[in-house]
C-alpha cells in the first residue's frame, strides 16, 4: 500500500502544498542554468592566446660609411611609424641582414626629432631593432607604431620635468636618443609591455592609464607609472615647501 494514501487527509494536503512550493523554488534555478551554458576555458588554449611568436632580437649591426656599401640581399627589417597628432607617416627598411641603411637611419632620426624645437639627434639603431622584434613577437610585423615621444633635447626634458605633468627623468634616455614612447593600434599596452620585457634589452615603462609603453636601450629595468601617485607626491612636496 502507498505510504501517501495511508496518510491522514490533513497531512496529505500539507505534503502536496510543500511539494508544489518546492518545485516552484527549484524550477527557475534549473531554467536559468539551462539558459546560461557554462564555458570552461582550456588552460592550454588560454596560454596559447597569450603566447608570442618565436622571434629573437637580432645581433648588433654595422653602419657603413657609404650607402653604396649596403647589401642587396638579406633579411629586410622594416618599420612603419606614425605621428598621430600631425598625421606624418614613415615606412622604411632600416636594416638588411647585419647592415643598417644609412639613408634610412637619417629618415628615422628626422622623423623622431624633438617635436618642441625640431632638433634632430642620431638614434641608437638598437632602438629600432627592439621595436621591430616586438612587432614580430606580437604577430604584427606590418603593424604601425604610433609615436608619442621620441628624442628630447635637454631643454625640452627640463621643461617637461618642471611642468609636473609627466614623470620625465632628469637623465632620461630620450635625451640620448635611445628611447621611444608609443602605442600600437589594436594591441593593449599591457601586451606591449610583456613583449618588451621578454627581450630584456633595456628599460620598459608601463603607463596603464594613458595606455602606452616606453622602451629604451639603456640599463635593463622596469616600472609602472601611476598618475594619481605621481600627483600625490608632487602635492606632498609642494606642501612641505610651503611649510619650510
Amino acid at each position: 500500500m502507498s505510504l501517501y494514501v495511508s496518510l491522514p487527509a490533513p497531512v496529505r494536503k500539507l505534503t502536496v502544498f510543500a511539494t508544489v512550493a518546492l518545485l516552484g523554488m527549484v524550477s527557475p534555478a534549473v531554467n536559468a542554468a539551462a539558459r546560461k551554458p557554462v564555458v570552461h576555458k582550456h588552460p592550454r588554449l588560454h596560454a596559447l592566446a597569450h603566447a608570442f611568436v618565436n622571434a629573437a632580437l637580432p645581433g648588433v649591426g654595422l653602419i657603413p660609411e657609404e650607402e653604396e656599401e649596403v647589401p642587396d640581399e638579406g633579411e629586410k627589417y622594416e618599420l612603419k611609424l606614425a605621428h598621430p597628432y600631425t598625421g606624418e607617416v614613415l615606412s622604411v627598411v632600416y636594416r638588411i641582414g647585419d647592415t643598417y641603411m644609412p639613408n634610412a637611419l637619417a629618415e628615422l632620426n628626422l622623423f623622431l626629432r624633438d617635436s618642441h624645437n625640431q632638433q634632430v639627434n642620431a638614434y641608437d639603431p638598437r632602438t629600432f631593432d627592439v621595436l621591430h622584434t616586438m612587432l614580430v613577437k606580437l604577430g604584427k610585423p606590418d603593424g604601425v607604431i604610433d609615436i608619442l615621444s621620441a628624442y628630447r633635447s635637454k631643454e625640452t626634458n627640463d621643461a617637461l620635468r618642471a611642468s609636473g605633468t609627466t614623470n620625465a627623468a632628469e637623465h632620461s634616455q630620450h635625451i640620448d636618443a635611445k628611447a621611444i614612447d608609443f602605442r600600437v593600434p589594436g594591441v593593449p599596452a599591457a601586451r606591449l609591455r610583456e613583449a618588451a620585457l621578454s627581450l630584456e634589452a633595456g628599460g620598459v615603462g608601463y603607463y596603464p592609464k594613458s595606455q602606452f609603453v616606453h622602451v629604451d636601450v639603456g640599463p635593463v629595468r622596469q616600472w609602472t607609472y601611476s598618475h594619481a601617485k605621481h600627483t600625490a607626491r608632487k602635492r606632498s612636496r609642494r606642501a612641505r615647501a610651503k611649510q619650510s
Side-chain angles (χ1 to χ4, degrees):
M1 179 181 293
S2 170
L3 176 62
Y4 173 78
V5 175
S6 64
L7 293 174
V11 177
R12 289 201 303 271
K13 292 181 180 179
L14 181 59
T15 302
V16 172
F17 177 81
T19 302
V20 172
L22 181 61
L23 288 174
M25 292 173 61
V26 173
S27 295
V30 173
N31 292 336
R35 289 194 300 269
K36 297 180 180 179
V38 178
V39 178
H40 296 285
K41 293 183 178 180
H42 193 285
R44 186 167 180 273
L45 294 178
H46 182 72
L48 287 174
H50 292 271
F52 291 122
V53 175
N54 186 20
L57 196 67
V60 177
L62 304 174
I63 303 179
E65 294 183 1
E66 301 293 337
E67 188 70 25
E68 290 76 13
E69 298 177 10
V70 302
D72 295 325
E73 299 181 353
E75 182 180 357
K76 291 180 171 58
Y77 297 78
E78 182 179 7
L79 283 177
K80 297 178 181 179
L81 310 180
H83 282 302
Y85 304 119
T86 65
E88 294 177 82
V89 295
L90 175 66
S91 179
V92 61
V93 175
Y94 73 91
R95 173 173 175 160
I96 299 179
D98 294 332
T99 306
Y100 294 112
M101 308 290 101
N103 288 346
L105 294 183
E107 290 185 69
L108 286 164
N109 292 335
L110 179 61
F111 192 84
L112 299 171
R113 65 191 179 277
D114 186 325
S115 61
H116 296 271
N117 56 25
Q118 307 308 305
Q119 289 186 22
V120 177
N121 199 352
Y123 251 84
D124 186 326
R126 291 293 284 168
T127 313
F128 308 137
D129 291 332
V130 168
L131 295 177
H132 181 271
T133 307
M134 285 179 62
L135 289 181
V136 174
K137 290 180 75 71
L138 290 164
K140 291 182 171 291
D142 297 323
V144 177
I145 298 173
D146 284 344
I147 304 297
L148 305 182
S149 181
Y151 168 64
R152 297 181 199 148
S153 62
K154 187 177 185 307
E155 293 74 18
T156 294
N157 197 70
D158 289 345
L160 289 174
R161 283 174 54 78
S163 71
T165 58
T166 71
N167 72 327
E170 182 178 1
H171 303 290
S172 172
Q173 295 292 323
H174 287 276
I175 299 174
D176 296 326
K178 293 183 176 182
I180 292 180
D181 298 343
F182 67 99
R183 301 186 183 106
V184 175
V187 181
R191 188 75 172 138
L192 292 175
R193 173 179 178 269
E194 292 174 6
L197 288 174
S198 71
L199 298 179
E200 298 183 346
V204 179
Y206 174 45
Y207 297 73
K209 184 174 182 180
S210 301
Q211 279 295 289
F212 74 87
V213 297
H214 161 112
V215 297
D216 65 56
V217 289
V220 176
R221 66 210 187 284
Q222 62 176 289
W223 67 91
T224 297
Y225 175 74
S226 171
H227 181 72
K229 292 180 180 179
H230 179 71
T231 302
R233 288 196 298 269
K234 295 287 286 186
R235 289 175 178 171
S236 177
R237 286 197 295 267
R238 290 171 183 168
R240 289 196 298 270
K242 289 181 180 179
Q243 294 170 0
S244 60

